[in-house]
Amino acid sequence: MFAIVDLWRSIAVFLVVLAHTLTWWGNPVFFKFIKPSLLGLTGVAIFFVLTSYVLMFSLDRLKKTSNKLYIDFITRRFFRIYPLAIIAVILYYHFNIPSYFENGTDFLPAYVSVSGLIQNILLIQNFTVEKDILGPLWSLPYEFQMYLLLPIIFTYIGNTDSKWRGIFLFFILCLSFFVATDKMDTINKLFSYFEIPAYTKWGLCFIPGVMAYYAQKEFSGKKLNFAYIWPILGLILFSRILNYNFFIQILSAILVGFTLVIIKDDFNPYLKKMCSTISKYSYGIYLSHMLAIYLGFELFGKSLIGWMVFLMSLFILPVLCFHLIEKPFMDYGKRLCLKKYTRAGV
């Protein structure tokens, strides 16, 4: 059921890695107007759609067994996200590992205060002007903070007239973007240290995943052949490479949500297996690929050895992250929740 999700997650993490790698290589502009580095933001938008889609299924499963749905869900997500993020932040900070692009292309460590370190560890740095110690870490605060809302959205939409409630929610969020964005920018200029996060901008990327979940429950079956996913992907990538703005971002998110509902997952089993593996290690790839860039290109330059070290690190580091950190903590969180929040007799 999640083969399409695995494919999109693989594409998303590839786009993020590609964007940052190209940025290190000078952020080239092809044909005078194509900017590949913009694709990283496309990858993040895709991640957000997939996150909300998959987690709505998780909430549906938990609802049948948990006596404290909200706490159960948040606890599981905490042990999924925070342990690796905390370890990555501390390592990058302690060893001054370059993980941040200054002025577009300068690959530097992100120098922050002790307060900034604590904020990065807690994943609340989007409330302040502190830098992200690890460049890609900027998206995780939005992701975890949206986790706090997903159970509420799940309960609000429920099973009655779900599509209309979902459409209403999406409309309200779109309206809030147009009304609030300029005012938030004005308000943020009044503060020297704190700022209001761009929830109206990035929160909208989660809603197509929620809509896809409910649409799939009411839809009679997937109709389109898998081959249709390639022109849709091409449209998303072409529009993003040409320009980045709010409308293209939301269009991309909606198109990804559309494919989750309407396109069959009858593609090559070898491609399925590859995407499943990449999806499994995608979080580790997301947090470790900047280190891979450093180990490969910063230490060995633009050479064959640099490419070999980069590619080996890109493979080895996420595997170590998953088996040494991610999986043990996920299993612990699952055992804890089963013990504390599972209804008696289930």
Side-chain angles (χ1 to χ4, degrees):
M1 184 174 94
F2 291 130
I4 292 289
V5 173
D6 290 339
L7 174 66
W8 275 117
R9 188 172 280 125
S10 301
I11 292 170
V13 75
F14 172 76
L15 292 176
V16 171
V17 173
L18 176 65
H20 290 147
T21 303
L22 287 171
T23 303
W24 187 92
W25 281 74
N27 196 13
V29 178
F30 299 111
F31 306 110
K32 297 183 179 181
F33 64 92
I34 296 178
K35 301 177 181 180
S37 60
L38 293 177
L39 295 177
L41 297 171
T42 308
V44 173
I46 293 172
F47 271 125
F48 285 171
V49 177
L50 303 178
T51 292
S52 57
Y53 177 72
V54 172
L55 291 183
M56 294 302 282
F57 284 95
S58 297
L59 284 163
D60 194 31
R61 289 193 300 270
L62 283 177
K63 182 181 67 173
K64 301 171 184 175
T65 61
S66 180
N67 56 16
K68 292 185 178 180
L69 177 63
Y70 190 90
I71 299 176
D72 192 339
F73 174 77
I74 296 300
T75 301
R76 290 171 188 261
R77 299 316 300 169
F78 174 89
F79 283 104
R80 177 68 184 95
I81 294 295
Y82 267 88
L84 181 58
I86 291 172
I87 292 172
V89 165
I90 292 173
L91 287 177
Y92 277 87
Y93 178 83
H94 180 74
F95 293 103
N96 266 350
I97 299 171
S99 59
Y100 184 86
F101 288 105
E102 189 78 46
N103 301 321
T105 56
D106 298 330
F107 195 45
L108 303 170
Y111 298 106
V112 300
S113 63
V114 174
S115 172
L117 171 63
I118 294 172
Q119 291 167 41
N120 275 260
I121 289 174
L122 297 177
L123 297 182
I124 58 172
Q125 71 271 23
N126 60 335
F127 285 102
T128 69
V129 296
E130 288 283 0
K131 291 181 179 179
D132 303 290
I133 289 176
L134 169 59
L137 200 72
W138 71 266
S139 67
L140 288 187
Y142 287 101
E143 181 157 341
F144 195 83
Q145 288 153 22
M146 281 303 298
Y147 292 162
L148 302 176
L149 291 179
L150 280 178
I152 298 173
I153 294 173
F154 178 79
T155 303
Y156 161 72
I157 296 180
N159 294 315
T160 305
D161 293 329
S162 58
K163 60 182 177 182
W164 297 113
R165 293 190 182 190
I167 291 171
F168 174 74
L169 177 64
F170 188 72
F171 172 78
I172 291 298
L173 285 174
C174 285
L175 183 63
S176 71
F177 172 83
F178 291 109
V179 172
T181 299
D182 291 338
K183 292 183 177 180
M184 284 185 182
D185 291 340
T186 302
I187 293 173
N188 283 337
K189 291 178 182 177
L190 301 176
F191 302 101
S192 58
Y193 190 72
F194 296 100
E195 65 180 15
I196 302 172
Y199 289 130
T200 50
K201 176 180 178 180
W202 290 105
L204 285 171
C205 292
F206 288 87
I207 301 304
V210 175
M211 297 289 290
Y213 165 77
Y214 284 106
Q216 197 167 57
K217 294 177 69 173
E218 300 183 6
F219 194 59
S220 58
K222 298 189 175 184
K223 302 294 185 183
L224 294 184
N225 184 277
F226 170 73
Y228 283 95
I229 201 169
W230 301 122
I232 292 174
L233 174 61
L235 175 62
I236 292 172
L237 296 184
F238 183 72
S239 60
R240 279 303 185 95
I241 287 174
L242 289 178
N243 189 22
Y244 170 78
N245 59 48
F246 166 72
F247 296 102
I248 294 175
Q249 172 173 294
I250 299 306
L251 174 63
S252 301
I254 292 172
L255 287 174
V256 172
F258 171 79
T259 65
L260 298 175
V261 177
I262 204 73
I263 290 183
K264 300 176 183 177
D265 59 0
D266 55 346
F267 54 99
N268 187 285
Y270 294 104
L271 179 59
K272 282 187 180 182
K273 179 63 177 176
M274 182 182 71
C275 291
S276 175
T277 302
I278 295 174
S279 179
K280 177 180 178 180
Y281 298 116
S282 60
Y283 185 43
I285 296 173
Y286 192 71
L287 289 185
S288 68
H289 73 276
M290 300 295 269
L291 178 56
I293 292 174
Y294 168 73
L295 294 175
F297 302 129
E298 283 288 309
L299 297 186
F300 296 97
K302 300 176 181 179
S303 64
L304 178 60
I305 295 177
W307 274 105
M308 291 175 61
V309 172
F310 167 68
L311 293 174
M312 288 177 61
S313 300
L314 202 59
F315 171 78
I316 294 172
L317 291 175
V319 173
L320 294 176
C321 287
F322 182 82
H323 292 287
L324 297 181
I325 303 170
E326 292 177 65
K327 192 173 188 307
F329 277 101
M330 281 191 294
D331 291 344
Y332 174 78
K334 182 178 179 180
R335 291 195 302 271
L336 177 66
C337 290
L338 287 173
K339 181 179 178 181
K340 293 178 68 70
Y341 306 125
T342 301
R343 284 197 297 266
V346 176

